[in-house]
Amino acid sequence: MSRRVDLLIVGAGPAGMSAAVVAKRHGLDVLVVDEQPSPGGQIWRNIETVAATARADLLGKAYAEGAAVVRQFRASGVDYEPGTQVWYVEAGARAFLRRGGSASSVAADRVLLATGAQERPVPFPGWTLPGVMTVGAAQIVLKSSGQVPDKPVWIAGSGPLPLLYAVQLLQAGGQIAGFLDTTPPGRAVAAMVALPAALFGAPGDLLKGLGWIIRLRRQVPCVRHVAEIEAIGEHGLESIRYVTTDGRAATVPADLLLVHEGLVPTIHPTLALGCRHVWNSEQDSFAPELDGWGETSERHVFVAGDGAGIGGARAACLRGELAALRITASTGRLSEVAAEAFAKPIRSRLADALSPRAFLDRYYRPRPAVFVPPDHTIACRCEEVRVATIREQVSASRPGPNQVKAFTRAGMGPCQGRQCGYTVAHVLAAAEGRAVPDLGLYRVRPPLKPVTLGELAALDMMDSVP
Amino acid sequence: MFRKLDQDTGSSLTVHVDGHPVLAIAGESVAAVLLRQAPFWARTTPVSGARRAPYCMMGVCFDCLAVVDGVSSVQTCLAPVREGMRIERQQGRPDVTS
Ligand code: FES
């Protein structure tokens, strides 16, 4: 069945929900679609169920804060379709959706992509073995399923999330075998210039983080300055070998290893739509080029939330509200002057919410091996293409990611380069003496998510009915 | 690999993993069930036959693919459990027409 709405929002996390509430309040006909079974995004995942249970206490205050936003979203009366994947968005704009095995399409005058972030891929030898997962994945399992590792777990990485998860895990009665801190030496110095802004704008966030670090160092064996990691095992993880920057090496038995090296914006939908992207050197990632409201280079296509650049939940909500104001004004239901007046206080709160960012980005900037891993590392998980194979493509013709994809199949599997795109770009850049932003990323073609022939056929029949 | 916290309550239901009945809680994902049900993997790869287990739990990596109620290559981290669901670990290349 084909429908028409004023605004299609993809993603029911902080940005999508906040935007929906504002747009609906100003009279827009809004449809929100989301892959997950319930609203909240990854940060507030399963909050409606968990809020009333003991699990909410161990997940902490920032998680509990989501309950109010979700309640507001539910009360707003927007159309909300959970469990729905968007497999194609066409400028103009029509989106093709699939829910529970059936495909449909919706025409929308305006689209807001609030698709958030993914964890930065962390390739290292053995990272495809069962028993290696991301920290974010383990946290999702805690939120949505109330489960924790059944044996002492190894955590390796850098950034606020591993610290937060480690503390939540201890709180839940889980055990940590060791914490391999991969933050390179000297980061405190590099980040120092950004400290005053962080302390001034969001002192609570920094204190909270410091509390996590102190607690972990007291309760968990911590190894600092880990530079290299290898996961070893036949059919699953059996041991981990790590080396620190000053050359200390150890091999330890392991059942489960959780890794994390920060987040990167989800850019597949905006790449597929042909939006212009820019390189964010502070966050070592691409993001869509946006104006002050979140509009992309394509008219009427907006981005809000971590998809615009990593900023956290509070910033995501505010960016969602800004985008919704601009979208509403562009339909004529709100004057430009009124939109600007509503936006002013939101912009100043956004500046506060983003104030710790520069400090965090510099402090937790990933170590070099995250970008260019050793030769025998699998770069493309789907097609099992190794870093050495990518490097072998480098020749006088200086190929870019798309040629390498054609020659090696890297990026051709079902994840469509979501895990190997940056690795291929970095390996090529290093070997060719070029910069990653000049190489760019894989071209993205629909479908954004695999669809079956049966689903496509059903869609074709529906669309021939006017 | 994972265990449920004792405090966790919710309406329980039964799913079948490779024919074995397993208790699950309404609202959780199929991949979450696979993470506490040995052997801890979801599929083998079409290229080398290596085992893979859920990795990202948010729909990005596609390593959690399994056969659910006869449909192959279901992203189990995005699929909520249902009473009576039949889950099979997936071997090699999927059937694209199902
Ligand atoms: S675990 Fe990564 S897609 Fe399901």
Side-chain angles (χ1 to χ4, degrees):
Chain A
M1 167 185 58
S2 193
R3 297 166 287 176
R4 169 168 284 281
V5 294
D6 296 325
L7 171 62
L8 171 70
I9 298 178
V10 184
M17 290 191 293
S18 302
V21 169
V22 170
K24 181 73 184 181
R25 188 187 301 146
H26 291 290
L28 263 62
D29 183 12
V30 183
L31 170 66
V32 180
V33 299
D34 189 72
E35 277 187 346
Q36 300 301 327
S38 59
Q42 301 304 342
I43 177 100
W44 297 325
R45 192 145 160 171
N46 207 24
I47 181 82
E48 289 174 307
T49 309
V50 174
T53 69
R55 225 190 300 161
D57 296 335
L58 69 90
L59 287 168
K61 194 161 150 276
Y63 178 71
E65 275 169 11
V69 182
V70 172
R71 253 196 315 276
Q72 242 194 336
F73 171 66
R74 289 281 197 189
S76 70
V78 298
D79 280 335
Y80 161 60
E81 292 189 1
T84 302
Q85 287 195 322
V86 174
W87 54 269
Y88 185 40
V89 190
E90 160 182 284
R94 176 180 293 273
F96 296 88
L97 315 171
R98 113 162 143 180
R99 184 185 196 183
S102 70
S104 68
S105 75
V106 52
D109 298 321
R110 286 149 185 87
V111 179
L112 172 65
L113 299 164
T115 43
Q118 69 170 74
E119 288 177 276
R120 181 191 302 281
V122 192
F124 56 88
W127 71 308
T128 55
L129 284 173
V132 181
M133 291 175 82
T134 69
V135 173
Q139 197 194 41
I140 286 168
V141 171
L142 177 59
K143 289 173 183 169
S144 64
S145 216
Q147 61 191 19
V148 295
D150 61 356
K151 297 198 189 83
V153 63
W154 286 89
I155 299 177
S158 182
L161 186 66
L163 300 172
L164 170 61
Y165 176 72
V167 168
Q168 291 170 334
L169 183 56
L170 292 176
Q171 200 74 27
Q175 286 179 298
I176 301 174
F179 191 96
L180 305 178
D181 185 347
T182 60
T183 313
R187 285 293 194 259
V189 177
M192 207 44 84
V193 311
L195 185 61
L199 276 176
F200 187 73
D205 290 2
L206 289 195
L207 277 179
K208 203 164 55 178
L210 202 59
W212 298 338
I213 293 172
I214 291 168
R215 175 156 183 201
L216 280 187
R217 294 219 177 129
R218 270 213 317 260
Q219 298 191 11
V220 172
C222 293
V223 183
R224 296 184 67 196
H225 304 156
V226 170
E228 286 167 46
I229 300 169
E230 181 163 358
I232 302 161
E234 170 106 29
H235 295 297
L237 181 67
E238 291 163 19
S239 59
I240 308 167
R241 183 184 138 81
Y242 63 84
V243 184
T244 62
T245 38
D246 53 11
R248 279 174 297 137
T251 303
V252 290
D255 180 62
L256 180 61
L257 167 65
L258 305 175
V259 294
H260 178 87
E261 295 285 351
L263 305 168
V264 293
T266 299
I267 51 174
H268 261 61
T270 41
L271 284 174
L273 273 162
C275 302
R276 267 200 304 275
H277 288 71
V278 287
W279 177 252
N280 180 338
S281 55
E282 290 271 302
Q283 301 190 340
D284 293 294
S285 51
F286 284 100
E289 183 183 294
L290 303 173
D291 70 7
W293 300 93
E295 190 162 13
T296 66
S297 60
E298 295 295 303
R299 201 168 129 80
H300 293 164
V301 177
F302 289 73
V303 172
D306 274 358
I310 307 306
R314 223 175 314 153
C317 289
L318 298 166
R319 280 170 167 164
E321 292 178 19
L322 286 175
L325 286 171
R326 175 72 196 153
I327 289 166
T328 309
S330 75
T331 64
R333 287 203 183 78
L334 188 67
S335 73
E336 303 266 332
V337 178
E340 199 55 69
F342 279 123
K344 207 168 162 223
I346 299 176
R347 289 194 203 284
S348 90
R349 280 160 60 209
L350 178 61
D352 281 344
L354 291 175
S355 61
R357 225 38 254 184
F359 176 77
L360 293 174
D361 290 343
R362 286 171 199 198
Y363 196 94
Y364 290 120
R365 180 158 203 194
R367 68 205 143 96
V370 169
F371 301 113
V372 182
D375 263 359
H376 59 296
T377 310
I378 288 181
C380 166
R381 295 175 68 96
C382 296
E383 297 289 332
E384 301 179 69
V385 181
R386 289 179 198 273
V387 170
T389 310
I390 309 283
R391 212 189 303 275
E392 277 159 21
Q393 306 305 312
V394 176
S395 61
S397 67
R398 307 214 299 172
N402 292 299
Q403 287 100 313
V404 167
K405 177 178 176 178
F407 292 137
T408 66
R409 295 193 58 81
M412 273 193 196
C415 99
Q416 297 172 303
R418 287 175 173 85
Q419 292 290 338
C420 67
Y422 280 113
T423 309
V424 168
H426 276 284
V427 168
L428 292 180
E432 298 176 10
R434 298 163 76 187
V436 171
D438 301 337
L439 275 152
L441 293 170
Y442 297 132
R443 260 191 306 277
V444 175
R445 293 210 184 82
L448 292 167
K449 293 279 167 125
V451 273
T452 64
L453 299 179
E455 287 164 338
L456 280 175
L459 184 74
D460 198 40
M461 279 171 357
M462 279 166 351
D463 268 16
S464 55
V465 183
Chain B
M1 194 172 287
F2 281 78
R3 67 173 166 88
K4 281 266 184 207
L5 292 172
D6 311 329
Q7 45 161 292
D8 202 56
T9 50
S11 48
S12 67
L13 41 83
T14 303
V15 298
H16 302 269
V17 179
D18 286 331
H20 304 293
V22 177
L23 276 185
I25 304 291
E28 69 177 329
S29 68
V30 173
V33 174
L34 291 174
L35 288 174
R36 58 172 191 272
Q37 190 59 29
F40 301 110
W41 55 279
R43 64 160 177 138
T44 60
T45 62
V47 180
S48 74
R51 290 179 183 173
R52 292 287 172 84
Y55 175 75
C56 73
M57 292 299 283
M58 55 173 288
V60 177
C61 75
F62 292 76
D63 273 330
C64 63
L65 301 182
V67 184
V68 175
D69 289 334
V71 180
S72 61
S73 293
V74 171
Q75 266 181 300
T76 57
C77 68
L78 297 179
V81 289
R82 273 191 317 272
E83 176 63 41
M85 198 177 233
R86 310 202 85 84
I87 303 150
E88 289 151 77
R89 293 185 176 85
Q90 178 169 315
Q91 307 271 354
R93 207 165 279 285
D95 174 5
V96 290
T97 56
S98 69

